[in-house]
Amino acid sequence: MVVFAIVPGEKPGVITQCRFDLARFTQQIGPVRLQVQLRFDHFRMLFDGALLSIATAADNVREGNIPEKGAAVSKAIDIVANGLKASLDFDTGADLAPRLAALYDYICERLLFANLRNDKAALDEAVRLLTELKGAWEEIARDPAVVSYSGKPG
C-alpha cells in the first residue's frame, strides 16, 4: 500500500491553456481533487518521458548509434533528476521523500553506467524501477479514498 499526503495549498500547475470552465469543474470535483489530478498527470508525463527516452536509448544501443544513445540517456537522466526528484516535497513527504530521492539517484547512476558501457541490462533495470514507481502513482490516482474533499488523506 502506498501512503501519499496532499497539501491543499499546493500550486496545481499551469492550467491557463485548458479549454474547460475551470470554476465549474472545480466546484464539481473540489479544488483538492483538481490539484491531485494535475499532480498525477504531471508525474505520469515525467515517467512516460523518461521511459520513452530509455527505450530510444536501447534502440540506439542495438543499432550502434552512440551519439543518439547518449542524447536519449541524457534526456532520461534529466527527467529523473530535474523532474521526478526535483518534484519531491521533503516538508510533507516524511521519510518517503528521502527514500524516493535515493532511488531516483540510483536510477540516474544506472543510466549513467548504461551510457558509459552500452549496458542494456542497466537500461532494463532503470525501466523496471521507473515502471514500478509509475504503477504506484497510477494506483494512487485510481484510489478514491486517497484524498477526501477536505484535502486530508482518506
Side-chain angles (χ1 to χ4, degrees), residues 23-91:
R24 183 173 172 201
F25 185 71
T26 302
Q27 287 173 351
Q28 290 175 350
I29 67 166
V32 173
R33 293 258 187 230
L34 175 60
Q35 291 174 5
V36 170
Q37 188 58 49
L38 289 172
R39 187 148 178 106
F40 289 143
D41 291 345
H42 167 79
F43 281 104
R44 187 177 302 120
M45 287 187 297
L46 290 171
F47 281 112
D48 288 346
L51 291 167
L52 179 62
S53 293
I54 296 169
T56 301
D59 289 344
N60 284 304
V61 166
R62 211 173 12 263
E63 295 169 5
N65 189 343
I66 303 308
E68 291 298 318
K69 179 257 327 182
V73 170
S74 293
K75 183 175 181 180
I77 290 172
D78 188 43
I79 292 169
V80 173
N82 297 318
L84 293 169
K85 184 180 174 189
S87 296
L88 294 174
D89 184 349
F90 288 89
D91 294 330

Side-chain angles (χ1 to χ4, degrees), residues 93-141:
D95 65 336
L96 182 60
R99 290 178 187 206
L100 282 172
L103 183 56
Y104 291 143
D105 286 341
Y106 177 75
I107 292 169
C108 289
E109 289 172 13
R110 295 305 292 157
L111 290 169
L112 183 59
F113 180 84
N115 194 28
L116 294 172
R117 305 280 171 106
N118 292 324
D119 190 315
K120 177 80 167 69
L123 291 174
D124 291 342
E125 182 180 9
V127 166
R128 183 182 57 79
L129 292 169
L130 288 169
T131 301
E132 287 179 24
L133 289 167
K134 180 183 178 197
W137 273 101
E138 289 171 344
E139 183 179 329
I140 291 168

